[in-house]
């Protein structure tokens, strides 16, 4: 066990060395990214034109950065999923911005738990891994037919292949679903976009009539901003859910409008499937800082003459002689916010992200230094008292070295990306040091001057 731990500690030492090399690079990139993002935000602040009435955009602003607010609307247009497929809804749903169909299957998963016990002799450790089986709904499709460490536990595909065909896909050609992280519920994995909502048997539809006043909203814009347009899902009215699906006769519609192969109140069994329909209605307010462009050929039916896209940020320096391409930017927020509020929120979000990345990089750097000395801590672990004291000493040293490295990299990055602020801080520090040194020197000179005994005036002598 001791030699196995030494081999593992050697691997940790190599990983620690890599972290020590990578973490400062990430710190440097983070400081540069932060400065670039702030310049983009300032570009929006200085260049954006405020459109007072989103229903009346001006052609003069075409190609410019504009700010407008308004209500997301689809007018009187209805929306459904893929027409002509068995899993489509029975009739178009009016006032719907997005419709989504999510198919889940009841499958078995393998969970692992480790138990570590310290050996009494040799300072080693014994790790015991226990595998257990659990069952849960997952939208990621059929899992492995046989669990790797529990071969007696198997999964059934049920009518999943029939669902794929009913949704217009081809059964058996779907790629294997990536397994979720250990301990992560399958539903959370789906929320993190591990599941492609447009891939059969799932389905998603976005209204082509979506617009805010005279600005059209494309499908790409709506799907790219889920925190704005995809937060308030509601179940589809039960009357629009199909009662029967060709090729999937086992599906039964429940009172909640969900299609299942098991009874609504019964416990599902392995291979059972569930089909859920949800939608998002229009009528909510949004605020934008985007580039105004002319609408494409497909947009006139929406009634919007203009559309929006991400703006290219070209920042001029040295009186317009140097042009920096800072990439693209746009801001989309739910609710009504004026331009100053949009700018402030963007800056607050950027500061929070930068602080979080700084903490992550610092933790990686300190962890790298701790891993670098893992060989020594493993040797000291042969004696319990020395092992704990040695590990504590390594942690303290890693904190000191990591803090010094972090401060040094951040200071150099400030000089590179923020020279005015950096040299201003350095000048202020030297100024304070000079004043303190001058006062200390003056006090020292006064302390070495000779002092004389006081003389008594002649008229006061006795």
């Amino acid at each position: 066990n001791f030699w196995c731990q030494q081999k593992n500690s050697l691997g940790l030492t190599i990983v620690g060395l890599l972290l020590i090399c990578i973490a400062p690079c990430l710190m440097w990139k983070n400081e540069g990214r932060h400065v670039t993002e702030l310049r983009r935000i300032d570009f929006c602040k200085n260049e954006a034109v405020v459109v007072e009435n989103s229903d009346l955009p001006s052609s003069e602003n075409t190609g410019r950065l504009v700010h407008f607010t308004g209500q997301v609307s689809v007018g009187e247009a209805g929306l459904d999923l893929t027409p002509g497929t068995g899993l489509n809804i029975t009739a178009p749903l009016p006032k719907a911005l997005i419709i989504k169909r999510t198919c889940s299957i009841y499958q078995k998963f393998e969970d692992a738990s480790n138990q570590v016990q310290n050996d009494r002799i040799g300072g080693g450790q014994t790790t015991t891994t226990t595998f257990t089986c659990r069952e849960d709904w997952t939208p990621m499709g059929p899992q492995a037919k046989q669990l790797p460490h529990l071969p007696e536990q198997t999964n059934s595909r049920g009518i999943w292949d029939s669902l794929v065909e009913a949704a217009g896909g081809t059964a058996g050609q779907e790629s294997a679903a990536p397994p979720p992280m250990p301990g992560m519920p399958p539903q959370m994995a789906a929320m993190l976009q591990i599941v492609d909502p447009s891939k059969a048997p799932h389905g998603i539809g976005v209204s082509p009539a979506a617009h805010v006043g005279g600005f059209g909203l494309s499908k790409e814009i709506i799907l790219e901003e889920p925190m704005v347009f995809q937060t308030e899902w509601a179940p589809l009215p039960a009357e629009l859910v199909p009662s029967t699906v060709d090729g999937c006769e086992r599906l039964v519609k429940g009172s909640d409008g969900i299609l299942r192969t098991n009874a609504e109140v019964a416990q599902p069994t392995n291979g059972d499937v569930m089909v859920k329909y949800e939608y998002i209605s229009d009528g909510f307010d949004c605020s934008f800082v985007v580039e105004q462009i002319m609408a494409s050929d497909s947009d006139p039916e929406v009634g919007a003459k203009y559309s929006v896209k991400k703006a290219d940020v070209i920042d001029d320096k040295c009186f317009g002689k140097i042009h920096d391409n800072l990439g693209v930017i746009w801001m989309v927020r739910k609710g009504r916010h004026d331009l100053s509020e949009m700018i402030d929120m963007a800056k607050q979000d950027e500061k929070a992200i930068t602080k979080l990345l700084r903490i992550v990089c610092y933790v990686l750097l300190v962890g790298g230094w701790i891993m670098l000395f893992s060989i020594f801590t493993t040797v000291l672990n042969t004696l319990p008292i020395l092992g704990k004291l040695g590990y504590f000493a390594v942690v303290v040293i890693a904190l000191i070295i990591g803090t010094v490295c972090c401060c040094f990299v951040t200071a150099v990055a400030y000089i590179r990306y923020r020279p005015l602020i950096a040299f201003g801080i350095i000048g202020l520090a030297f100024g304070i040091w000079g004043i303190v040194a001058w006062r200390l020197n003056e006090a020292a000179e006064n302390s070495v001057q000779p002092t004389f005994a006081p003389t008594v005036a002649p008229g006061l002598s006795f």
Side-chain angles (χ1 to χ4, degrees):
N1 287 335
F2 173 76
W3 294 111
C4 290
Q5 283 196 329
Q6 281 291 87
K7 183 174 67 175
N8 294 335
S9 64
L10 179 61
L12 290 177
T13 301
I14 296 175
V15 173
L17 185 61
L18 291 175
L19 289 179
I20 292 173
C21 297
I22 293 174
C25 298
L26 295 179
M27 291 179 183
W28 181 275
K29 296 293 290 185
N30 181 45
E31 296 301 327
R33 182 205 59 81
H34 179 55
V35 172
T36 301
E37 193 63 30
L38 290 180
R39 290 177 63 186
R40 291 176 184 169
I41 296 173
D42 288 337
F43 181 86
C44 291
K45 177 181 178 181
N46 299 327
E47 300 295 331
V49 178
V50 178
V51 179
E52 299 294 343
N53 188 352
S54 60
D55 293 326
L56 301 173
S58 173
S59 59
E60 297 178 354
N61 296 328
T62 302
R64 300 183 63 183
L65 201 64
V66 296
H67 165 266
F68 62 91
T69 62
Q71 191 176 84
V72 178
S73 175
V74 298
E76 300 300 325
L79 179 64
D80 59 0
L81 295 168
T82 309
T85 58
L87 288 177
N88 191 24
I89 61 178
T90 58
L93 178 65
K95 310 296 290 182
L97 179 66
I98 309 174
I99 294 180
K100 180 176 68 172
R101 177 184 65 239
T102 305
C103 300
S104 302
I105 185 170
Y106 201 69
Q107 295 283 272
K108 294 179 180 178
F109 296 87
E110 188 179 87
D111 290 338
S113 59
N114 294 326
Q115 184 178 6
V116 180
Q117 184 176 4
N118 294 325
D119 296 338
R120 294 184 177 181
I121 301 176
Q125 292 180 330
T126 301
T127 302
T128 304
T129 304
T130 304
F131 296 94
T132 57
C133 177
R134 65 177 174 88
E135 290 185 290
D136 199 355
W137 290 104
T138 173
M140 295 182 291
Q143 301 299 299
K145 185 176 182 180
Q146 192 175 49
L147 300 186
H149 298 91
L150 299 172
E152 70 280 1
Q153 301 291 342
T154 58
N155 279 314
S156 170
R157 296 180 65 90
I159 65 167
W160 187 265
D161 293 337
S162 300
L163 278 180
V164 174
E165 294 177 351
T170 303
Q173 294 186 359
E174 69 272 10
S175 58
M181 295 177 61
M184 177 184 291
Q187 293 82 357
M188 182 176 295
M191 291 177 62
L192 295 176
Q193 298 297 317
I194 295 178
V195 178
D196 186 357
S198 62
K199 189 173 183 180
H202 309 295
I204 189 168
V206 179
S207 176
H211 62 279
V212 174
F215 297 92
L217 302 178
S218 66
K219 178 180 179 180
E220 292 73 21
I221 293 174
I222 295 174
L223 295 181
E224 193 172 342
E225 296 288 343
M227 299 305 297
V228 177
F229 300 104
Q230 303 181 44
T231 56
E232 298 181 1
W233 291 100
L236 193 74
E239 61 271 15
L240 296 180
V241 178
S243 300
T244 59
V245 179
D246 294 338
C248 305
E249 284 73 17
R250 289 178 55 193
L251 285 175
V252 178
K253 182 169 69 173
S255 59
D256 52 1
I258 298 177
L259 299 176
R260 300 180 179 86
T261 54
N262 60 295
E264 185 175 352
V265 295
Q267 175 68 24
T269 58
N270 190 264
D272 279 332
V273 299
M274 175 175 61
V275 183
K276 182 186 295 186
Y277 293 85
E278 298 172 296
Y279 79 103
I280 291 179
S281 178
D282 66 350
F284 55 90
D285 294 328
C286 281
S287 302
F288 299 81
V289 178
V290 291
E291 182 179 341
Q292 176 180 316
I293 60 175
M294 296 298 297
S296 61
D297 294 338
S298 60
D299 288 333
E301 65 184 49
V302 179
K305 184 178 179 181
Y306 300 97
S307 186
V308 297
K309 74 178 188 70
K310 295 182 178 180
D312 295 316
V313 180
I314 307 296
D315 193 18
D316 295 333
K317 297 189 301 183
C318 295
F319 304 100
K321 296 182 179 180
I322 299 178
H323 309 284
D324 279 351
N325 187 353
L326 303 181
V328 296
I329 191 172
W330 71 354
M331 301 179 189
V332 184
R333 297 275 182 173
K334 198 166 187 177
R336 289 184 176 268
H337 308 283
D338 59 27
L339 181 59
S340 61
E341 291 175 340
M342 297 277 286
I343 298 299
D344 290 340
M345 288 188 290
K347 287 184 177 180
Q348 292 299 324
D349 291 346
E350 174 55 29
K351 289 179 180 178
I353 293 174
T354 303
K355 290 179 181 178
L356 177 62
L357 292 178
R358 285 172 178 168
I359 294 174
V360 171
C361 293
Y362 176 74
V363 171
L364 290 177
L365 188 59
V366 173
W369 283 105
I370 294 176
M371 292 180 183
L372 188 66
F373 298 105
S374 59
I375 292 180
F376 303 103
T377 57
T378 302
V379 174
L380 292 176
N381 275 335
T382 56
L383 299 175
I385 298 179
L386 286 180
K388 293 181 179 179
L389 291 177
Y391 184 77
F392 176 76
V394 166
V395 171
V396 172
I397 294 173
L399 286 173
I400 296 173
I401 299 177
T403 303
V404 172
C405 291
C406 182
C407 294
F408 176 77
V409 173
T410 303
V412 176
Y414 257 71
I415 295 175
R416 165 62 181 85
Y417 295 110
R418 299 179 175 184
L420 294 179
I421 297 178
F423 285 115
I425 295 174
I426 294 174
L428 179 63
F430 275 108
I432 295 174
W433 176 80
I435 294 174
V436 171
W438 171 63
R439 296 296 298 174
L440 290 175
N441 185 49
E442 187 179 57
E445 290 178 353
N446 293 332
S447 64
V448 297
Q449 289 181 357
T451 56
F452 301 95
T455 57
V456 180
L460 299 177
S461 58
F462 295 97

